[in-house]
């Protein structure tokens, strides 16, 4: 492998016509051709967290929105956050003579508590008032997306539309075949109705999808926007208190304006991908499944 800083003095011509350094070329031994990243298929093999190396299937990754549930990035400098432990001295409750017997004396044993801290910029989860947690991993309070309901509504709507289009396509194909008279439909052959077949295939019935489309309320564009605060041009700006653009956009759901609203960012998952020759469909590279391994099962480099 070339060093990242090494300039590419010598370039080779790929079979697709692109000029590439030897380090980014592959050799398909089935077509006997040189291939490059531009003329091969990239496929996602597995999702994993680059910090804790947890592996997960793509369905689970999609459910977790492609983020690791136990690792976090610093919202201020995007470095990985570390979990730090402290000993918390529980508050001692003094025996109140008036209510003797009622007040319980808490155990005086110091309790281990955890918080997140950035070793790079010294940001901690305590800075924004996130309470320390009694367990080291997980359990960090999650903020709900203020637009979650609308986003789900849109997702349902698009799913319903996709469903409907698929249905129409099937219907069209069936009509085409019926006209030709060559093929018998599934219904004629097995006695299954369309709804039953959908049920068996685990697809939602067309009634529920059409109701999702019917009840959908499209967004309305509005010319009315909130007025800017009066002191916007006169108030002195404290740059230590407001977030930078990258910090804001790192959490697109909330886009915090003040640093007091920053929240740990769940770490994005990485993927291992395999690469395939477009002409013959053979694998050019295939990584090992284990995320800790940097080896390949198949590695056809030029
Ligand atoms: Zn190429
Ligand atoms: Zn992780
Ligand atoms: Zn940081
Ligand atoms: Zn090939």
């Amino acid at each position: 492998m070339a060093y990242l800083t090494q300039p590419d003095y010598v370039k080779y011509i790929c079979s697709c016509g692109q000029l590439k350094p030897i380090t980014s070329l592959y050799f398909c031994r089935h077509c006997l051709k040189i291939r490059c990243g531009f003329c091969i298929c990239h496929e996602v093999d597995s999702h994993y967290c680059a910090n804790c190396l947890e592996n997960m299937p793509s369905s689970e990754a999609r459910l977790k929105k492609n983020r690791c549930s136990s690792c976090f990035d610093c919202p201020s400098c995007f470095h990985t956050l570390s979990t730090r432990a402290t000993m918390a001295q529980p508050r001692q409750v003094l025996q109140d003579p008036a209510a003797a017997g009622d007040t319980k004396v808490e155990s005086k044993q110091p309790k281990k508590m955890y918080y997140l801290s950035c070793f790079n910029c010294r940001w901690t989860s305590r800075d924004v008032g996130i309470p320390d947690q009694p367990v080291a991993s997980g359990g960090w309070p999650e903020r709900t997306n203020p637009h979650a309901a609308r986003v789900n509504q849109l997702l349902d709507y698009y799913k319903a539309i996709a469903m409907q289009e698929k249905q129409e396509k099937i219907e069209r194909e069936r009509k085409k075949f019926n006209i030709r008279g060559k093929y018998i439909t599934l219904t004629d052959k097995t006695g299954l109705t369309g709804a039953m077949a959908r049920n068996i295939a685990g697809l939602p019935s067309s009634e529920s999808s059409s109701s999702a489309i019917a009840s959908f309320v499209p967004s309305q564009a509005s010319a009315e926007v909130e007025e800017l605060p009066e002191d916007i041009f006169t108030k002195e700006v404290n740059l230590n208190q407001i977030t930078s653009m990258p910090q804001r956009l790192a959490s697109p759901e909330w886009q915090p304006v003040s640093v007091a609203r920053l929240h740990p960012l769940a770490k994005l998952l990485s993927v291992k991908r395999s690469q395939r020759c477009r002409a013959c469909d053979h694998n050019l590279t295939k990584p090992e499944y284990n995320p800790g391994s940097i080896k390949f099962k198949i590695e056809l480099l030029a």
Side-chain angles (χ1 to χ4, degrees):
M1 276 290 148
Y3 290 107
L4 290 173
T5 49
Q6 183 182 313
D8 302 320
Y9 292 123
V10 182
K11 288 189 181 171
Y12 295 78
I13 191 154
C14 173
S15 54
C16 71
Q18 297 259 323
L19 282 171
K20 292 279 161 85
I22 189 98
T23 45
S24 42
L25 287 174
Y26 306 89
F27 178 71
C28 180
R29 64 175 175 204
H30 303 277
C31 314
L32 301 178
K33 288 249 171 72
I34 285 178
R35 304 276 181 219
C36 70
F38 186 74
C39 58
I40 53 177
C41 287
H42 302 261
E43 294 167 0
V44 171
D45 247 21
S46 61
H47 297 255
Y48 69 99
C49 170
N51 191 46
C52 65
L53 297 180
E54 195 195 302
N55 225 331
M56 63 184 82
S58 56
S59 55
E60 195 186 338
R62 204 179 310 134
L63 215 67
K64 289 181 167 177
K65 300 195 167 76
N66 290 318
R67 285 175 187 274
C68 178
S69 46
S70 40
C71 304
F72 296 92
D73 280 340
C74 172
S76 184
C77 72
F78 312 122
H79 194 260
T80 304
L81 288 175
S82 314
T83 310
R84 308 218 64 195
T86 50
M87 285 307 202
Q89 198 73 44
R91 258 183 305 141
Q92 217 169 310
V93 179
L94 289 174
Q95 203 86 23
D96 184 1
D102 267 10
T103 33
K104 279 190 213 132
V105 179
E106 282 176 38
S107 76
K108 283 175 196 141
Q109 284 293 314
K111 224 174 134 208
K112 230 178 185 178
M113 295 296 270
Y114 299 90
Y115 66 96
L116 296 170
S117 159
C118 175
F119 287 163
N120 187 38
C121 74
R122 301 277 152 200
W123 185 90
T124 72
S125 56
R126 291 170 163 183
D127 292 356
V128 290
I130 298 170
D132 290 1
Q133 297 295 312
V135 281
S137 60
W140 294 100
E142 268 177 46
R143 282 190 299 181
T144 47
N145 183 347
H147 307 292
R150 181 64 179 166
V151 170
N152 287 337
Q153 227 175 36
L154 287 169
L155 279 175
D156 284 345
Y157 179 61
Y158 291 126
K159 264 186 213 154
I161 287 183
M163 196 67 220
Q164 203 182 40
E165 278 174 0
K166 213 179 194 176
Q167 200 59 40
E168 280 168 10
K169 199 178 155 204
I170 292 171
E171 221 73 352
R172 255 201 319 276
E173 302 265 289
R174 207 164 62 183
K175 267 187 201 140
K176 207 158 74 188
F177 287 136
N178 271 349
I179 293 163
R180 283 194 202 153
K182 273 185 193 164
Y183 298 89
I184 334 162
T185 61
L186 190 68
T187 318
D188 302 336
K189 210 166 161 185
T190 59
L192 275 174
T193 64
M196 279 160 81
R198 269 198 298 279
N199 239 334
I200 290 164
L203 300 171
S205 68
S206 56
E207 286 85 55
S208 79
S209 73
S210 60
S211 80
I213 294 173
S215 64
F216 181 75
V217 190
S219 303
Q220 291 286 329
S222 159
E224 280 167 40
V225 262
E226 251 177 71
E227 294 274 322
L228 285 170
E230 293 230 325
D231 57 359
I232 185 89
F233 297 117
T234 52
K235 206 169 103 188
E236 214 172 298
V237 177
N238 184 353
L239 288 178
N240 290 327
Q241 293 298 314
I242 58 173
T243 52
S244 69
M245 237 30 219
Q247 286 169 347
R248 252 174 245 191
L249 297 177
S251 47
E253 303 98 315
W254 302 282
Q255 301 181 21
V257 176
S258 103
V259 288
R261 301 282 301 143
L262 288 175
H263 213 265
L265 308 163
K267 207 169 183 63
L268 282 169
L269 297 177
S270 306
V271 293
K272 281 202 166 197
R273 57 193 180 138
S274 57
Q275 291 158 314
R276 210 179 269 281
C277 173
R278 265 193 221 175
C280 68
D281 258 2
H282 282 98
N283 269 121
L284 293 173
T285 65
K286 190 164 183 61
E288 282 198 10
Y289 191 68
N290 173 18
S293 168
I294 54 161
K295 291 193 180 122
F296 287 86
K297 281 186 202 150
I298 302 171
E299 195 181 26
L300 302 179
L301 304 177

